[in-house]
């Protein structure tokens, strides 16, 4: 509303003793960009832990399980995400259901959180996120979390080539994810992971 007022689209009429506006002009404005800018500005002023949590969750999509945040909080790089979770919940950016599923309250909140990561750093951020999850879960049966780990690493394909020590392990991870997708009859997903394994 402050933005509308500052641009003269919302005005207080002293004679009528009420707020007045031209609805057609306001509808023609690109409010979506303004909402994203406002959310981004608010998020940019949050603590580092909350910002990191929001970035991490934005990389995962609209929702993730709290156990994944727990895995990440065990690593030095993402140790503050547990504290960030509390802040993001109390600030109303995400909600948690009874089953521990964390979800952004709106797609635009997720989009603003994802924009906290500079475009030039997004692929590397995904890769390091997946690599941290992989190192924590390596050798364990992580169920469907294998898809999350593989997809994060695969977002940063060029980083895989720079990490020769892990390239074989990442191929094996993609192979396991592809086989698991085939077991669930999800052939498109299986094709994607099996292709990344090559």
């Amino acid at each position: 509303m402050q933005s509308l007022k500052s641009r003269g689209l919302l005005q207080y009429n002293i004679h009528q003793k009420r707020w007045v506006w031209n609805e057609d002009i306001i509808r023609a404005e690109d409010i979506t960009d303004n909402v994203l800018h406002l959310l981004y500005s608010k998020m940019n002023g949050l603590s580092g832990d909350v910002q990191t949590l929001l970035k991490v969750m934005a990389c995962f999509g609209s929702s993730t399980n709290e156990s994944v945040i727990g895995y990440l909080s065990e690593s030095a790089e993402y140790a503050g995400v547990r504290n960030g979770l509390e802040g993001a919940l109390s600030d109303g950016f995400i909600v948690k259901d009874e089953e521990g599923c964390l979800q952004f309250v709106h797609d635009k909140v997720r989009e603003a959180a994802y924009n906290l990561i500079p475009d030039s750093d997004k692929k590397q951020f995904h890769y390091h996120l997946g690599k941290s999850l992989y190192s924590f879960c390596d050798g364990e049966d992580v169920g469907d979390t294998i898809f999350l780990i593989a997809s994060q690493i695969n977002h940063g394909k060029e980083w895989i080539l720079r990490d020769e020590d892990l390239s074989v392990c990442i191929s094996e991870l993609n192979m396991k994810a592809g086989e698991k997708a085939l077991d669930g009859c999800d052939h498109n997903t299986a094709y994607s992971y099996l292709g990344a394994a090559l």
Side-chain angles (χ1 to χ4, degrees):
M1 288 191 40
Q2 288 286 14
S3 174
L4 292 174
K5 185 179 175 217
S6 68
R7 291 181 291 149
L9 299 173
L10 177 66
Q11 300 171 354
Y12 188 77
N13 186 311
I14 297 173
H15 302 295
Q16 294 177 358
K17 297 182 182 176
R18 67 181 186 99
W19 289 96
V20 294
W21 59 90
N22 184 325
E23 199 169 317
D24 293 331
I25 294 174
I26 292 173
R27 284 181 198 260
E29 288 285 309
D30 192 1
I31 300 297
T32 301
D33 284 345
N34 290 334
V35 169
L36 282 175
H37 178 72
L38 291 171
L39 285 168
Y40 175 82
S41 295
K42 177 157 174 64
M43 289 176 181
N44 219 13
L46 298 172
S47 73
D49 288 346
V50 176
Q51 284 189 40
T52 300
L53 180 275
L54 291 170
K55 292 176 193 176
V56 164
M57 281 200 51
C59 286
F60 294 152
S62 60
S63 66
T64 193
N65 197 293
E66 190 175 10
S67 64
V68 174
I69 302 303
Y71 293 145
L72 280 173
S73 68
E74 297 293 324
S75 72
E77 188 175 359
Y78 298 101
V81 293
R82 178 71 68 193
N83 293 335
L85 174 60
E86 298 307 316
L89 285 166
S90 67
D91 286 341
F93 292 116
I94 59 172
V95 292
K96 180 170 77 170
D97 68 16
E98 312 81 45
E99 295 161 8
C101 181
L102 303 168
Q103 186 171 357
F104 281 101
V105 295
H106 193 277
D107 288 342
K108 294 298 176 193
V109 174
R110 181 204 169 264
E111 190 175 343
Y114 195 61
N115 286 338
L116 289 171
I117 308 168
D119 288 339
S120 60
D121 296 342
K122 282 185 167 108
K123 289 181 180 183
Q124 184 179 10
F125 193 91
H126 280 282
Y127 179 74
H128 285 296
L129 184 56
K131 189 175 161 185
S132 290
L133 281 169
Y134 175 77
S135 65
F136 184 76
C137 301
D138 185 25
E140 295 184 31
D141 180 14
V142 292
D144 288 347
T145 305
I146 194 169
F147 300 124
L148 182 67
I149 297 168
S151 70
Q152 292 304 306
I153 290 174
N154 293 342
H155 265 84
K157 291 178 205 172
E158 61 269 12
W159 291 92
I160 296 170
L161 300 174
R162 297 178 189 178
D163 207 341
E164 292 179 20
D165 295 341
L166 276 180
S167 62
V168 171
C169 297
I170 292 169
S171 288
E172 291 172 357
L173 173 73
N174 276 296
M175 187 68 74
K176 288 177 186 176
E179 290 169 355
K180 186 162 182 65
L182 278 175
D183 290 345
C185 295
D186 188 348
H187 296 101
N188 289 335
T189 301
Y191 179 79
S192 173
Y193 288 121
L194 293 172
L198 300 177

